[in-house]
């Protein structure tokens, strides 16, 4: 079993419930660290399957699926309150707002408010991820530094203005666009 650090995982790895090593020779369950070697055949549910299928079935059988595995992560790691987890679990189970309200002992308006706040958090999380990419992605950083090295003149005088300023009607030439 390998130990998996949630803080190191990508959104894609979290969504799949497993990680692949750098050479794709094995995948690892993010919830318990069980390793599945690619190229091997595994017995799962009474039949023989490849490593990826065995890992997917393991995640479903041992952890209730990726959703349940993620929802069960400690609040210190996920940042989700118990109420948020209950609301998301109800949504996952296709429960309508009324059924959720009755089950949780809260008003229908409170269920709607929690759903709205989860959607708001989702938008905020996307923006945060994009900002963090601007700070951490080496290609984006290199592009930004390249853009910063251009001269002020190149940035301040549009190309069309440079090429065509002498061909303007005399009325416009009086404004000296240079």
């Amino acid at each position: 079993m390998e130990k998996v650090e949630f803080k190191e995982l990508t959104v894609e790895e979290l969504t799949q419930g497993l990680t692949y090593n750098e050479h794709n020779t094995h995948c690892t369950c993010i919830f318990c660290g069980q390793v599945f070697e690619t190229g091997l055949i595994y017995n799962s549910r009474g039949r023989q399957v490849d490593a990826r299928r065995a890992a997917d079935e393991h995640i479903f059988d041992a952890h209730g699926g990726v959703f349940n595995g993620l929802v069960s992560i400690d609040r210190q790691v996920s940042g989700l309150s118990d109420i948020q987890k209950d609301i998301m679990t109800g949504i996952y189970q296709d429960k309508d707002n009324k059924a959720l309200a009755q089950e949780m002992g809260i008003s229908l308006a409170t269920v709607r408010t929690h759903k709205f706040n989860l959607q708001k958090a989702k938008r905020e999380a996307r923006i945060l991820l994009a900002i963090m990419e601007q700070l951490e992605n080496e290609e984006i950083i290199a592009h930004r530094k390249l853009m910063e090295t251009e001269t002020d003149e190149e940035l301040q005088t549009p190309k069309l203005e440079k090429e065509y300023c002498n061909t303007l009607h005399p009325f416009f030439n009086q404004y000296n666009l240079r």
Side-chain angles (χ1 to χ4, degrees):
M1 301 277 178
E2 289 185 12
K3 182 166 173 44
V4 178
E5 291 288 331
F6 281 97
K7 65 183 178 183
E8 304 294 329
L9 299 177
T10 65
V11 173
E12 183 180 356
E13 291 169 331
L14 289 165
T15 302
Q16 292 179 5
L18 52 91
T19 64
Y20 281 90
N21 68 336
E22 64 183 85
H23 301 294
N24 285 332
T25 59
H26 68 272
C27 57
T28 305
C29 172
I30 66 171
F31 305 111
C32 68
Q34 185 165 338
V35 176
F36 299 86
E37 280 189 57
T38 54
L40 295 182
I41 301 298
Y42 290 83
N43 287 319
S44 178
R45 298 181 178 176
R47 62 197 193 319
Q48 295 182 336
V49 296
D50 66 3
R52 174 58 194 255
R53 181 67 184 213
D56 287 344
E57 290 178 2
H58 159 78
I59 291 167
F60 186 82
D61 296 341
H63 308 291
V66 176
F67 175 85
N68 289 317
L70 291 171
V71 168
S72 67
I73 294 172
D74 185 73
R75 181 181 182 148
Q76 295 289 74
V77 177
S78 73
L80 297 172
S81 70
D82 290 338
I83 291 173
Q84 289 171 319
K85 290 178 181 183
D86 291 344
I87 293 287
M88 286 191 279
T89 299
I91 295 168
Y92 181 76
Q93 296 170 345
D94 291 328
K95 294 183 180 174
D96 64 12
N97 291 353
K98 187 176 180 181
L100 267 172
Q102 289 175 343
E103 184 178 297
M104 295 176 68
I106 58 178
S107 74
L108 194 56
T110 303
V111 170
R112 287 192 297 264
T113 299
H114 281 297
K115 284 183 158 184
F116 174 83
N117 288 336
L118 286 168
Q119 288 298 326
K120 180 182 172 199
K122 178 181 168 183
R123 285 190 307 274
E124 293 168 346
R126 284 184 182 153
I127 292 170
L128 176 63
L129 287 172
I131 291 169
M132 294 306 293
E133 278 294 303
Q134 293 292 315
L135 298 174
E136 298 173 348
N137 184 301
E138 291 178 16
E139 288 180 26
I140 293 172
I141 293 168
H143 180 70
R144 181 184 74 230
K145 288 182 178 180
L146 177 68
M147 304 285 17
E148 290 171 350
T149 60
E150 290 185 355
T151 65
D152 285 339
E153 181 182 323
E154 289 173 327
L155 294 174
Q156 292 176 358
T157 308
K159 185 177 180 181
L160 285 176
E161 187 178 303
K162 283 185 210 174
E163 293 177 7
Y164 299 107
C165 67
N166 292 331
T167 63
L168 293 176
H169 186 276
F171 173 80
F172 294 103
N173 283 335
Q174 69 183 341
Y175 294 107
N176 193 10
L177 297 173
R178 290 187 187 173

